[in-house]
Amino acid sequence: MLLPLLWLISTAFKSGTENIFEFPPRFIPQEPTFRNFVNVWQTNPFGRYFFNSTLIATITVVLNLLFCSLAAYPLARLNFRGRELIFSLIVATILIPFQIVMIPLYILTVQLGLTNSYLGVIFPAIASAFGIFLMRQAFQNVPKELEEASRIDGCSELGIWWHIMIPSVRPALVTLAIFVFIGSWGDFLWPLLVLNRPEYYTLPLGVARLAGSFSLDWRLIAAGSVIATAPILLFFVIMQRYIVPSEASSGVKG
């Protein structure tokens, strides 16, 4: 699993005099250089691509955490007719491949005038069935006593969701944020459909342009891929320490 990643990083640091396709492969460059990264950054607007990907991924994560948790709370904690049916229908949509709904989504995006815009890229990903499922399961594990005590104190349903439920399911929120960030950052197909102006391109589209710009110079393509991949690894390293067992049950004694 790690060999392709190691080869990619090694290729990004190899000079033009080294054979990147030799067998067995040499993972330690003989003449390591940062020139490939400099060439990619100077000859392409990778700063703009980086900004676009960061903005889109950040907004997508925030909207997913908001809407998925709001949708999951009543499905987990409130009793109303048709609750299980609604939840089953939401989960069933996970079985539908994106390619099936891609054309209707594209037509809707065009009709709303969202092509060549950040909102057009974010629009289909503001909530997900997986996110609702994950948050519902997390909400169900919060002790009922905390919720009942809040109601006795006069807290509203929205207040219970914000002050009790959200702090209690922080590990699930972090997990969902990681999944959404990785999915949004690495998405290629949907941005390719709705964007045709380079100033709105994300990093995956920018890396794809390198194949034509440099006539398949794999050193530069590898450097661009490393630039696009590094933020995902950094985000996971920063966020993984928050993935710890919930301490909501510590507030209940006996």
Side-chain angles (χ1 to χ4, degrees):
M1 181 186 68
L2 293 176
L3 285 178
L5 180 61
L6 293 176
W7 184 87
L8 179 73
I9 297 174
S10 174
T11 302
F13 285 97
K14 287 184 177 179
S15 63
T17 59
E18 297 185 59
N19 180 14
I20 62 176
F21 296 112
E22 64 178 328
F23 186 84
R26 187 189 301 272
F27 292 104
I28 300 178
Q30 294 176 320
E31 301 175 3
T33 177
F34 285 94
R35 189 62 189 173
N36 297 325
F37 294 93
V38 174
N39 287 340
V40 167
W41 198 270
Q42 290 181 344
T43 56
N44 284 266
F46 258 70
R48 182 68 183 185
Y49 300 155
F50 192 91
F51 170 79
N52 293 340
S53 290
T54 302
L55 179 65
I56 291 172
T58 301
I59 296 177
T60 302
V61 168
V62 172
L63 292 179
N64 262 267
L65 296 181
L66 175 64
F67 291 131
C68 289
S69 59
L70 281 173
Y73 173 68
L75 293 173
R77 311 299 294 200
L78 302 182
N79 293 319
F80 57 91
R81 182 176 298 178
R83 184 184 70 171
E84 296 302 323
L85 176 61
I86 293 174
F87 177 68
S88 299
L89 292 175
I90 292 175
V91 173
T93 61
I94 298 178
L95 302 175
I96 303 175
F98 176 74
Q99 288 77 4
I100 293 180
V101 299
M102 180 174 61
I103 295 177
L105 271 176
Y106 177 75
I107 294 174
L108 181 60
T109 303
V110 172
Q111 292 175 343
L112 293 175
L114 299 179
T115 55
N116 287 313
S117 67
Y118 298 127
L119 187 56
V121 180
I122 298 169
F123 171 64
I126 60 176
S128 67
F130 170 77
I132 295 174
F133 170 78
L134 179 66
M135 295 309 303
R136 177 183 181 268
Q137 300 306 111
F139 284 145
Q140 285 186 326
N141 292 327
V142 178
K144 191 75 173 179
E145 291 80 2
L146 295 177
E147 182 181 349
E148 293 173 348
S150 301
R151 286 199 175 94
I152 293 175
D153 291 338
C155 195
S156 64
E157 293 297 337
L158 191 60
I160 294 174
W161 168 78
W162 179 251
H163 295 291
I164 303 299
M165 295 297 173
I166 293 299
S168 300
V169 297
R170 187 177 64 176
L173 290 171
V174 173
T175 301
L176 180 59
I178 291 174
F179 275 105
V180 173
F181 183 86
I182 293 175
S184 176
W185 189 273
D187 190 18
F188 176 80
L189 180 58
W190 181 249
L192 180 65
L193 290 176
V194 298
L195 301 177
N196 54 42
R197 294 170 57 181
E199 60 265 31
Y200 291 105
Y201 277 6
T202 58
L203 275 172
L205 296 182
V207 173
R209 292 190 70 192
L210 293 177
S213 301
F214 296 102
S215 301
L216 288 179
D217 188 331
W218 289 106
R219 296 172 180 81
L220 300 179
I221 294 175
S225 300
V226 170
I227 294 174
T229 305
I232 296 178
L233 300 178
L234 180 62
F235 181 80
F236 178 78
V237 170
I238 293 174
M239 299 298 290
Q240 60 89 25
R241 65 190 181 96
Y242 295 104
I243 305 178
V244 294
S246 174
E247 298 180 356
S249 58
S250 62
V252 181
K253 300 296 183 180

